[in-house]
Structure formats: structure tokens, C-alpha cells
Amino acid sequence: MASKVVNNVQIIDAPAGNGKTYHIREQLHNFLIEHPNSSALAITYTNRAADEIKSKVDSTRVHISTIHAFISHLISPFFKQDEVIDLYFDKYGEKIRTMLTSKKKKDINRNEKYIKHYGEISLDVIKKNIHKDGINYGESSFSAYYYGRLSHDDLLEFTSYVVERFPKLYLKINRQFKLVVIDEYQDTAQCMLDLFFEATSKNKNMKLCLYGDTTQQIYQTYDKNMQDKLKSFGVKHGKLNNYRSNDTITNILNNIDGRQSRRQIVPQDSSIGRSDFLPMVICMDQINIDSYVSKKIETNPNILALYVFNRERFKNIGAGDLFSAYKQIFDYMNPISVKDVLTELDPSENPDTLMKVLLSIQRGASFWKNKRYGELITFVSNQSNIFSRQMILQTNKDKKRVNEIWKRAYILLQGRALTIESFIDKITEYGIIRNSVTEDILQSEEYRNSGVFNVCISEFMNLINKANNVSTQHGVKGESHDAVVFVAEDSTSYFPFINMYDFFELWSNLNFSIDDFESFAISYKNEIKLLNDKVQSIKDTNELQIIIKEIQNLFEDNVYYKMLLKEIYDDYFSRSKRAGSVFLKLAKIIKSVNKIERIMVAYKIFYVGCSRAKRNLTVILDKEKIEGFEDKLKQKLELVGFKVVDASKSQIT
């Protein structure tokens, strides 16, 4: 654990498995004892991480939530105020104007839908309607600017924008909380860190603690000013213990990381236990990967499979038709992806209305089945935009009636052949959901045409029941699992973009650490940014060549440049002698930074994924994608500590 206190801000930087979650819980427990009349705020990276802390810290004086949930709670009371709505148009007015005059098909369709709903469309009409209805948080990955609906990212940016102009809002933080703890600070948006820094600076009695691990910083979102600010707090390394993983896996993590200064040890009193088998890397044909993982999940309920999701993943857990239907709604033109809909199982966070309703019913029925009546009452109350008034208990006479309704809902969810449309019809008949919500769903042409209404409710339940066994590789921060299966994949369609096999090829040829490669990646990214900034003003091709030559000279002795970039630059200068070709290959050079960043992300995701395992770890590789460097990669993996198995030559279980 490493920490440095500057004034009333503390940064704790520690590797995976070092006990950050434990230390957060202990800090909160100590706070409750030492400050019996004060409150604390704990911000987590995921809902699952929040739930883990809540299970150990049971106090109304500690508010535990994700950053989006907290910020929504903080700012949403002001979303109907004219001054805040005016700021909304200050920030997003130009985007709205561009969309209004756009000739793009998606914008034309969006405009037509607005006219169909409101009768006309213009900036003034949109302003009038948002002033009437207010701004809202859309709990999704995209914004609907015409309707004042903010996405995940825009919620944070807009809140920062509002608070800067109404600084009294800082008081809602520093007067309410004496302690603020932020977990996984390295992946917290810069604007949010600035917000909490500012709130802390205005109250010397408030303490801000940031917990994280820069090794697990997947998203490079900080500018130089923020990087310098974070560095100013300083870091001092203490004893590096790994409380999550056993000796075997910890040794592998140390070798993947590659830094002697960050090598962890397992405490002698660790109770994790030995691995059932030597951590394995299995090379197999792509066609067999999903069936293998599916069988592993069936035989071992404690396994967590880490994937980049696609149709086959959902097919293997019995939700293939559900995926296919949603794929028609959320195609490549839609800012929401199928993954956004089918992997977000928190009803308050899911971006799709139908899925929100299904998840809400399932969660409520689960509370009822397990006799968690207090949680059920709170949940229904908090989801009042979905549940009808009759589901809210007002008198003791309501208990028997509501209990019977939830019994019926639970039975419906167990129906194997019942379609989603029939399910919606039934819960409407029971009066569980607001009529306005079910009408919007049942009258939706998108749902009707996609075929989602014809999908059996059993596919939705398969999604629910097997969701704990499957996760994205970047969505498991702070978690630990007895057994992990890491499926190595590239991701070129959805963020975060990952060049996993480019990483493996580079890694198999060179000995390097995360620090070494990241230092190169940041330096190269800065040079390409400067080049990109200058391009628009450069008219002389000779001047452009001089700048690019300077970049080449700067990195030409670097081993990463030689392996990843040299061919691109050589090609540029060989072709640029011909008239008109100077700018032809420029885009390739500018885009080359993307490859570097995607390899860096892959490196960290590989480390993060492997570090979730306590006792057993398996990595699955696509045999076809390692052709040409298979032998070198095998040697590297064995040196790191894995047993490498070729599925085509060996029997695996």
C-alpha cells in the first residue's frame, strides 16, 4: 500500500489484490466510530463493487454508490430550474443546431420522429419543451439532446459545467460528507476528480481519499495538468502483499507486470489455498471456444468467464434469440449497442425501456421469493416511474393484495414457453407496471418488427441466471473469483478498442514492463497530437515532411517503434516522392497512434483479467490468430508461469 497526504487529500496507490476494498471498509468502519455524528461517501467503479462494500458496512451514515448514481442524486433536483436549462443550451445548443440541419439519415429520422411527437421542430420549440419537461439522466451510453436526456458521460461533464457556475453546489458535498472515498480513481473522469478536489479545498474539515492502481488504468482520460496534479501528491511504496491470489497466480501477475518495484508477495497467513491445476493457456480453434467455456460454466458455478461479447456468447447461455432481436433494434448505426442492453442487468442503468421493465419485475420477484420485503418496498418506491401506484404499500390492507401480485409475477417468470409479449400483457393485467409504460412498449414498431415480442421469457431468465458467470474483461475492477477463464479477443467495434493479439505478438518478442510501454505510448501520442494540430495550417509539403521526419528521428532507436511503426514511416517516405502523395499516407501515420493505444489497453486488460483469479486461471487463445509467432508466445507464456496446451493435440477438460 502506498499513500501520501497533502493537506486533506490522500492518494492510496496499490496493485491488484493488495486489499484496497478491505482498507476502504476498514476506513469507513473507523470513521463511523471516530465521527459518530458525521457522514461519509464511498464512490465505486461498478454496482457490484458498491454491493460488496454495502454487505460489510451497514450504516445510514455511509452513502455507497457508483459515480453516476451519486452525481444524478446530487444534480437532478436542479434539472427543472430555468438557469440550469439555459446552461444546458449553452453547452449543447450548437450540437442541436447541427442535428437540425444535418442531411444524415439518422438525423433526418430523428427530426421526423420529433415532429411526429410535437408537431414541429426548431431550436425554439426544443427549448420550450425542455423548459417544460426539464433535463433528465437517461441512464444510458447515449444522449438524446432534443429531449434533454443526458448520457453517462454527458451527465458528468454537464454537472461539472453547472457546478463551476453555481459554486454553492460544492456545499452539497462538503457540508454533507466529512469523508469522501473514491475507489478506482484512475478510471474516474477528470471532471469528477476536479469537482471533488474543489469541494475538498473549500472545507478543511473534509477529507478526500483516492484508492486505485495506475496499472489498471484502461482509459487514458487525463490531460497533463491533471497528471501533474496527481503526481504532486507523491507516492511512497510500502510492503506489497497480495491478499486475493495464491502464490502461483501472484507470480504470474508479477511476471506480466514486469516491474521489480511492484512485485507482490502472498502473506504467510493467506487462506486462499493451492491451485487445482497449473494456470493454463489453451490454444484452440475459434469454433470450439464458446462451447468449451459454456461446458466449464455448467460444471463449475464458481467460474467467471471474461469475454468481449457477441452473438455466440448469448447463444451459449440460452439467450441467442434475444440477442438477435435486439441486434435488429440496435444496429451499427445506433449509439446504443446490443452489449449495452444485454450486459447491464441493473434496471436503473439499462438503456432500453423493455429491458428496464423486465429487469425491474425480475428483481422485485426475487426480493419477494427470498422474503426480503423491506428491500422490495424500497425498490418499488425508487422505481416509481415504472411501477404503478397500486404496488406501493400505503396501508396494512395492501400487503395481502400486493403479495399475491408478486406471487403471480414470480410464476410468470418461470414459464418456459411464455413469450415476452404475453408476459407484458399479463403484468399489465395484474397492474404491476404503469399503463403509460406498457403502452409505449406494446405500441413500439421497433420492438414489433425486431421480433423481440416473440422471444420466450425463458431466454431473459437464462440471461439473469447465468450473468454472474460472464462479464466483460474491463468490467470486473475490484472483484475476485475462485476461478477465471479469460478469453483473448480483439475488439474493433465497441469501446474500449483492444488489439489483444498485437499485444501478444509484441510481448512474445520483447521483454518489457507496463511502465516501459506506457511511457513510449504517451510520448508517441503527444507527438502525433502536435502533428495533428499543425496539419490544417500546413500548406508546404516539404514542411510536413520535415515534421514527420523529426518524429521518425525521435523514435527510430526505440524497440517498440521498430516493431510497430517503422514500416508505416518507411512507406510514407518511399511514396511521398511522387507528386500529390505527401498527404496520401498522412492519415495512416496519424491513425498509427490508435494501434499503440489499443495494444496498451490490451496489456492492462490482460493483467486486470488474470488478477481477478484467486486459485485457478485459464486463458483461451484463438489458434489461428497466433500463427507466425506461436512458438515464441508459447516460450513467453511458459516463462511467465503458464502451462500451454494445444487443444488439437491434447485432451483437455
Side-chain angles (χ1 to χ4, degrees):
M1 199 63 68
S3 66
K4 176 73 176 180
V5 178
V6 176
N7 298 324
N8 48 341
V9 177
Q10 185 181 31
I11 290 185
I12 300 96
D13 191 88
N18 202 235
K20 291 187 290 293
T21 302
Y22 171 81
H23 281 273
I24 289 172
R25 294 200 302 260
E26 286 298 294
Q27 184 174 23
L28 293 173
H29 281 302
N30 292 335
F31 172 84
L32 291 172
I33 296 170
E34 296 169 4
H35 304 278
N37 300 313
S38 300
S39 297
L41 169 67
I43 298 295
T44 62
Y45 185 71
T46 64
N47 284 300
R48 284 192 286 193
D51 291 340
E52 186 175 348
I53 296 176
K54 286 177 183 176
S55 68
K56 304 292 185 183
V57 182
D58 185 16
S59 173
T60 57
R61 291 194 289 121
V62 180
H63 183 90
I64 305 168
S65 74
T66 63
I67 187 67
H68 292 92
F70 172 73
I71 292 300
S72 177
H73 174 76
L74 173 75
I75 199 70
S76 58
F78 305 97
F79 275 174
K80 288 194 173 184
Q81 294 188 7
D82 288 340
E83 299 91 338
V84 174
I85 294 172
D86 288 339
L87 288 177
Y88 175 86
F89 283 97
D90 285 346
K91 189 165 182 62
Y92 302 112
E94 191 56 41
K95 285 186 178 180
I96 294 172
R97 290 188 189 93
T98 301
M99 290 158 58
L100 287 171
T101 58
S102 172
K103 302 300 182 183
K104 295 180 179 177
K105 185 177 179 180
K106 65 177 182 179
D107 291 324
I108 292 172
N109 291 339
R110 184 185 295 112
N111 294 341
E112 289 175 350
K113 284 184 179 179
Y114 194 92
I115 294 170
K116 185 177 180 181
H117 188 75
Y118 289 104
E120 57 181 326
I121 188 171
S122 68
L123 184 61
D124 288 339
V125 170
I126 292 171
K127 282 184 178 180
K128 178 183 176 182
N129 289 327
I130 293 180
H131 271 282
K132 177 185 175 183
D133 300 329
I135 304 164
N136 61 90
Y137 169 40
E139 299 178 347
S140 69
S141 58
F142 76 105
S143 292
Y145 295 113
Y146 288 2
Y147 304 92
R149 195 171 302 128
L150 298 172
S151 69
H152 296 315
D153 292 342
D154 280 337
L155 172 71
L156 305 185
E157 290 183 2
F158 183 63
T159 297
S160 177
Y161 190 70
V162 172
V163 174
E164 284 177 5
R165 284 147 185 82
F166 297 102
K168 286 186 178 180
L169 288 175
Y170 288 120
L171 300 178
K172 285 180 67 79
I173 299 174
N174 59 31
R175 285 186 177 178
Q176 185 177 354
F177 304 110
K178 195 177 182 72
L179 169 68
V180 175
V181 175
I182 299 178
D183 193 18
E184 307 293 356
Y185 81 88
Q186 77 281 350
D187 286 326
T188 301
Q190 177 171 321
C191 62
M192 289 295 99
L193 290 183
D194 278 330
L195 185 149
F196 284 105
F197 280 140
E198 190 65 25
T200 306
S201 70
K202 296 181 182 298
N203 185 354
K204 64 180 182 179
N205 294 317
M206 175 184 167
K207 184 177 181 180
L208 173 64
C209 295
L210 307 180
Y211 288 79
D213 178 14
T214 52
T215 305
Q216 301 180 58
Q217 186 179 14
I218 296 169
Y219 313 107
Q220 297 291 333
T221 57
Y222 301 154
D223 62 22
K224 188 177 184 303
N225 289 334
M226 175 55 69
Q227 289 171 341
D228 291 343
K229 183 183 291 187
L230 292 171
K231 287 178 182 177
S232 71
F233 294 105
V235 175
K236 239 181 348 181
H237 291 285
K239 194 172 183 180
L240 296 171
N241 287 330
N242 190 321
Y243 299 98
R244 176 186 295 141
S245 306
N246 63 18
D247 278 321
T248 305
I249 292 175
T250 298
N251 183 59
I252 286 175
L253 296 176
N254 286 334
N255 292 334
I256 292 174
D257 183 296
R259 294 171 290 185
Q260 289 297 320
S261 62
R262 297 269 290 190
R263 290 191 72 83
Q264 293 180 281
I265 60 171
V266 177
Q268 290 185 350
D269 60 351
S270 174
S271 60
I272 300 300
R274 299 178 64 179
S275 300
D276 296 323
F277 54 86
L278 190 67
M280 287 195 300
V281 174
I282 304 174
C283 307
M284 63 173 63
D285 295 331
Q286 176 65 49
I287 195 171
N288 297 322
I289 292 176
D290 297 313
S291 59
Y292 173 80
V293 177
S294 183
K295 288 177 182 176
K296 295 293 285 186
I297 292 174
E298 290 291 337
T299 57
N300 187 348
N302 294 320
I303 281 181
L304 177 71
L306 299 179
Y307 271 127
V308 176
F309 286 95
N310 62 27
R311 179 175 180 173
E312 291 302 311
R313 311 300 181 273
F314 293 103
K315 183 179 178 182
N316 285 334
I317 63 172
D321 290 342
L322 189 65
F323 177 91
S324 297
Y326 268 109
K327 183 69 175 175
Q328 293 188 50
I329 301 173
F330 302 107
D331 59 17
Y332 71 96
M333 293 293 292
N334 201 301
I336 302 178
S337 72
V338 182
K339 185 183 74 171
D340 295 328
V341 176
L342 298 187
T343 63
E344 179 52 77
L345 303 185
D346 184 339
S348 64
E349 297 286 338
N350 198 284
D352 177 72
T353 302
L354 172 59
M355 190 60 67
K356 230 182 245 290
V357 169
L358 295 177
L359 290 168
S360 296
I361 298 294
Q362 185 275 331
R363 182 165 292 191
S366 178
F367 285 144
W368 173 85
K369 176 67 168 54
N370 294 294
K371 298 181 179 180
R372 296 159 62 182
Y373 301 125
E375 292 174 83
L376 175 58
I377 292 169
T378 301
F379 177 68
V380 170
S381 178
N382 290 338
Q383 296 287 99
S384 59
N385 60 323
I386 290 178
F387 291 107
S388 68
R389 290 181 180 273
Q390 77 156 0
M391 298 302 293
I392 299 174
L393 296 180
Q394 296 178 342
T395 67
N396 284 331
K397 294 180 180 179
D398 296 328
K399 289 183 178 179
K400 185 176 180 180
R401 174 180 54 79
V402 172
N403 183 70
E404 183 60 30
I405 292 175
W406 278 117
K407 180 181 179 180
R408 292 181 181 180
Y410 177 79
I411 293 171
L412 280 178
L413 287 168
Q414 313 313 309
R416 303 302 299 175
L418 187 71
T419 66
I420 287 176
E421 182 175 21
S422 298
F423 178 82
I424 295 293
D425 284 337
K426 284 291 184 182
I427 63 171
T428 302
E429 180 186 327
Y430 297 163
I432 301 177
I433 303 299
R434 286 177 173 268
N435 286 335
S436 59
V437 175
T438 54
E439 284 175 9
D440 285 346
I441 291 173
L442 294 172
Q443 293 176 10
S444 168
E445 292 183 7
E446 287 185 324
Y447 289 145
R448 183 74 56 190
N449 295 334
S450 72
V452 72
F453 286 152
N454 299 323
V455 176
C456 291
I457 196 70
S458 59
E459 292 217 1
F460 167 74
M461 292 304 295
N462 288 337
L463 192 72
I464 296 296
N465 294 331
K466 297 184 180 183
N468 290 332
N469 292 107
V470 185
S471 181
T472 57
Q473 293 163 352
H474 58 286
V476 287
K477 299 289 187 69
E479 297 181 20
S480 59
H481 298 266
D482 186 69
V484 167
V485 177
F486 183 98
V487 182
E489 297 176 293
D490 294 325
S491 176
T492 57
S493 301
Y494 301 121
F495 186 81
F497 302 112
I498 306 165
N499 284 20
M500 186 62 69
Y501 286 91
D502 283 343
F503 159 67
F504 282 134
E505 184 173 10
L506 183 70
W507 192 55
S508 66
N509 281 279
L510 299 173
N511 291 318
F512 61 93
S513 70
I514 288 176
D515 272 353
D516 291 337
F517 189 67
E518 188 165 40
S519 176
F520 161 75
I522 292 172
S523 297
Y524 185 69
K525 181 180 179 179
N526 288 337
E527 292 299 324
I528 295 300
K529 185 180 183 303
L530 291 172
L531 169 64
N532 203 28
D533 291 342
K534 295 177 181 177
V535 162
Q536 300 301 322
S537 61
I538 296 176
K539 305 296 182 184
D540 186 347
T541 57
N542 290 327
E543 183 183 352
L544 178 62
Q545 286 188 309
I546 290 171
I547 295 172
I548 295 176
K549 188 65 179 178
E550 288 174 348
I551 297 174
Q552 186 184 46
N553 291 339
L554 185 63
F555 295 103
E556 62 181 353
D557 293 329
N558 187 285
V559 291
Y560 308 119
Y561 170 87
K562 291 177 180 178
M563 283 202 66
L564 301 172
L565 301 170
K566 185 176 184 302
E567 186 176 338
I568 296 173
Y569 282 80
D570 288 348
D571 183 55
Y572 173 83
F573 285 107
S574 67
R575 294 173 180 262
S576 64
K577 296 175 182 179
R578 299 197 299 269
S581 65
V582 174
F583 292 94
L584 190 63
K585 293 293 179 177
L586 178 62
K588 196 170 182 179
I589 287 180
I590 291 175
K591 289 180 179 179
S592 65
V593 72
N594 295 337
K595 183 177 182 179
I596 305 298
E597 289 182 329
R598 292 174 181 187
I599 292 174
M600 188 72 250
V601 173
Y603 192 173
K604 292 188 174 184
I605 280 181
F606 182 55
Y607 175 83
V608 169
C610 293
S611 68
R612 300 308 99 186
K614 293 194 289 187
R615 294 195 313 116
N616 297 319
L617 173 63
T618 303
V619 177
I620 310 293
L621 302 184
D622 182 344
K623 190 173 173 60
E624 183 180 345
K625 291 186 176 180
I626 60 174
E627 288 182 359
F629 62 97
E630 184 174 354
D631 290 341
K632 285 187 176 180
L633 180 58
K634 180 182 178 182
Q635 292 173 9
K636 179 79 172 190
L637 290 166
E638 289 177 343
L639 185 66
V640 164
F642 286 102
K643 176 183 179 182
V644 182
V645 178
D646 187 335
S648 65
K649 300 177 182 178
S650 304
Q651 184 70 30
I652 56 172
T653 60

